[in-house]
């Protein structure tokens, strides 16, 4: 494909190209791209705002992440933060820092992914900033969403005896990353190399194209269940559960045999000789929802599809632990992704 | 001063340090830092959202910009975008990418500037993201603000015969940059070097510590004047005025002898042998407000302090030009900062 240097069309030319034909689907979007700020209107709901910064070489590796997938994922992980407040994502602003090795076509591919995510999730792209970067690609996204008044769910509302629930399955995105890293090493930089993903497509998809669980937020609302606390699982189940327990001043017990794990995740862990439960507890980027509901919601919650009760909240002095298959208590530890800690 | 490596306290430790003691002053801030998203409430006003990305080596040079000033400026330029919509800034989220050469104390200094700006402007710091960076410092700020319904001002509302107004003076931030660059070269990297800023303090301050013209937004509201179009001057008067005229499908005439220029700016231009008017037209980062008002507001607007009428809007086919002191017509050209164009 022919490539166009960005300097040929300049910043405004690039913005024109990537924002062409943008339409809005949300009533809350009054004015989008093209002025000093976007204008929104939220007369009847609470407004939720979340920001994420993704840096090349830290959060993504373009040797195996296609730009369109990267755009999709960058948008979706922000939608996920809004869902984690029991909200619905409505608008995003996208700021990009672009180094000289990227062409107009590259940025169009990235935007194609962002716009596809917006289309699928019903989110409006309303603004941002585009600038040169000295080193690599910088993506900063802010997502704005809403929730009915009184329905926003925080981290600090979990109570003793509440049930701990997760959506989907865990550890698959992490195993997808291991698979991609393995194939990257095997390819040794050759462009001829054909990576072996057969039978593991789900893992690759979970890593490259995660989804935000907007459907779960709706499902809970439809069932009349108001969670007492909620987070999305971006840094691993252990780490997020510890956040909820710390904020809520409580402890927890989860059960190893209840943690939802996909078959492909198990096969991959076996192949790599990794501990499957460790991957499910500490592997990041699943973007599933972790939440607590009152004990009396037990019958209702177990009827819902794609949600699993994995344990319960306890008093604070009992600490946070997993009950293993053989009945032992293993304290939960945060071993999630922490780009800044010593390792 | 003793320096602490960030890896010693980790991401969460750093976040605890820099967000300690944050208080909110706006009724629209329901919940700030500490959850997946901030929660805001805007039942009666329009919501304005603007994002900016600042990259080391592109937008700032830490050899002469102290981190506290950088933090202050990064916040203020975002407030300015909200003011440019005739709005009031209320909240910001701050995302940082931090390379290994920065210590906890560095980031605290940066945040001290951000928090000082928030305090002065009555803005609440409600969230963000903190991550490692491979190369240098990355600052991404999103500002949320509001304006009464029907009072938001866009770029596209200027009409034939409207008066063109600017606040403050122009070109001083650009001259401040020239001065800092000159002293940086003169210092040749020596730490003993004492830069010569005497009699030019205003220029340095305009570059290192710009202000958002929230006061002008209030002044106009108090006087009952609703501008027909507005922008903040970040890329230079010429460039911004061309944006307004393009969006509003009109032309303009401004008068060289009416462009507000500070005495220090004039002295510095003389010293450097630079054209003073070019600096005022094309020098960026003044963050003054450029706006248009209906002709009938003439008497009211000329009474207001710190605002100058510099020309008027014309029909589109007359184009955009400046009338020089000798009566010649000079077409306006966008020569503002464009990090992405060839030069």
């Amino acid at each position: 494909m022919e490539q166009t240097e960005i300097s040929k069309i300049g910043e405004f030319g690039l913005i024109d190209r990537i924002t062409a034909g943008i339409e809005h689907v949300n009533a809350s979007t009054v004015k989008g791209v093209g002025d000093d700020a976007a204008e929104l209107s939220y007369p009847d709901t609470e407004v939720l705002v979340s920001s994420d910064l993704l840096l090349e070489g830290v959060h993504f590796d373009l040797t195996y992440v296609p730009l369109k997938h990267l755009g999709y994922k960058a948008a979706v992980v922000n939608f996920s933060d809004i869902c984690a407040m029991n909200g619905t994502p409505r608008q995003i602003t996208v700021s990009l820092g672009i180094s000289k090795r990227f062409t107009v076509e590259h940025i169009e591919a990235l935007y194609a992914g962002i716009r596809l995510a917006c289309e699928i999730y019903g989110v409006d792209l309303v603004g941002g900033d585009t600038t040169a970067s000295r080193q690599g690609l910088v993506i900063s996204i802010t997502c704005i969403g809403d929730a009915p008044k009184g329905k926003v769910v925080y981290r600090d509302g979990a109570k003793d005896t509440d049930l701990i629930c997760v959506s989907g399955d865990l550890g698959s995105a992490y195993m997808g990353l291991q698979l991609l890293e393995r194939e990257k090493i095997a390819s040794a930089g050759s462009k001829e190399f054909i990576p072996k993903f057969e039978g593991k497509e789900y893992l690759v998809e979970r890593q490259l194209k995660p989804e935000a669980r907007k459907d779960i937020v709706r499902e809970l609302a439809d069932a009349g269940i108001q969670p007492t606390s909620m987070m999305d699982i971006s840094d691993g189940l252990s780490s997020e559960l510890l956040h909820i327990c710390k904020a809520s001043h409580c402890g927890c017990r989860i059960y190893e045999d209840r943690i939802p794990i996909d078959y492909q995740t198990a096969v991959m862990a076996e192949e790599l000789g990794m501990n499957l439960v460790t991957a499910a507890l500490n592997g990041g980027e699943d973007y599933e929802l972790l939440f607590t509901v009152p004990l009396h919601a037990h019958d209702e919650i177990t009827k819902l599809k794609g949600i699993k009760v994995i344990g319960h909240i306890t008093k604070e002095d009992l600490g946070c632990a997993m009950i293993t298959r053989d009945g032992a208590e293993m304290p939960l530890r945060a071993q999630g992704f922490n780009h800044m800690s010593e390792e």
Side-chain angles (χ1 to χ4, degrees), chain A residues 122-262:
Chain A
V123 171
D124 297 327
L125 179 58
V126 297
D129 191 12
T130 306
T131 183
S133 151
R134 284 283 198 83
Q135 294 284 343
L137 186 61
V138 176
I139 307 173
S140 177
I141 294 187
T142 293
C143 188
I144 301 113
D146 67 349
K149 285 192 190 299
K151 296 295 182 188
V152 176
V153 178
Y154 311 109
R155 298 178 177 185
D156 62 1
K159 301 235 161 9
D160 186 22
T161 77
D162 280 357
L163 301 172
I164 300 170
C165 310
V166 293
S167 65
D169 65 87
L170 300 179
S172 46
Y174 178 73
M175 282 302 163
L177 181 64
Q178 301 306 313
L179 177 61
L180 288 164
E181 291 276 6
R182 185 181 76 179
E183 297 302 299
K184 177 188 170 184
I185 292 164
S187 80
S190 157
K191 292 203 175 177
E192 313 283 291
F193 181 82
I194 297 162
K196 287 185 203 125
F197 295 147
E198 214 183 292
K200 303 200 174 63
E201 294 81 0
Y202 176 67
L203 303 180
V204 175
E205 186 166 319
R206 288 282 285 181
Q207 173 57 226
L208 293 184
K209 194 167 169 289
E211 302 293 349
R213 300 309 304 263
K214 187 182 164 181
D215 56 329
I216 298 286
V217 171
R218 183 167 303 178
E219 204 174 26
L220 290 169
D222 289 348
I225 299 172
Q226 172 75 3
T228 51
S229 71
M230 198 188 284
M231 282 184 75
D232 67 334
I233 303 177
S234 55
D235 287 344
L237 176 63
S238 264
S239 168
E240 315 299 9
L241 198 46
L242 288 169
H243 277 304
I244 283 182
C245 289
K246 187 180 172 193
S248 303
H249 302 289
C250 59
C252 69
R253 288 295 174 277
I254 58 171
Y255 297 86
E256 181 180 354
D257 60 0
R258 306 219 50 137
I259 295 172
I261 294 172
D262 186 78

Side-chain angles (χ1 to χ4, degrees), chain A residues 28 37 92 105 107 128 133 180 230 244 256 282 293 302 316:
Chain A
S28 51
I92 53 169
E105 288 74 14
I107 303 306
S133 151
L180 288 164
M230 198 188 284
I244 283 182
E256 181 180 354
N282 301 318
V293 298
T302 48
E316 190 168 19

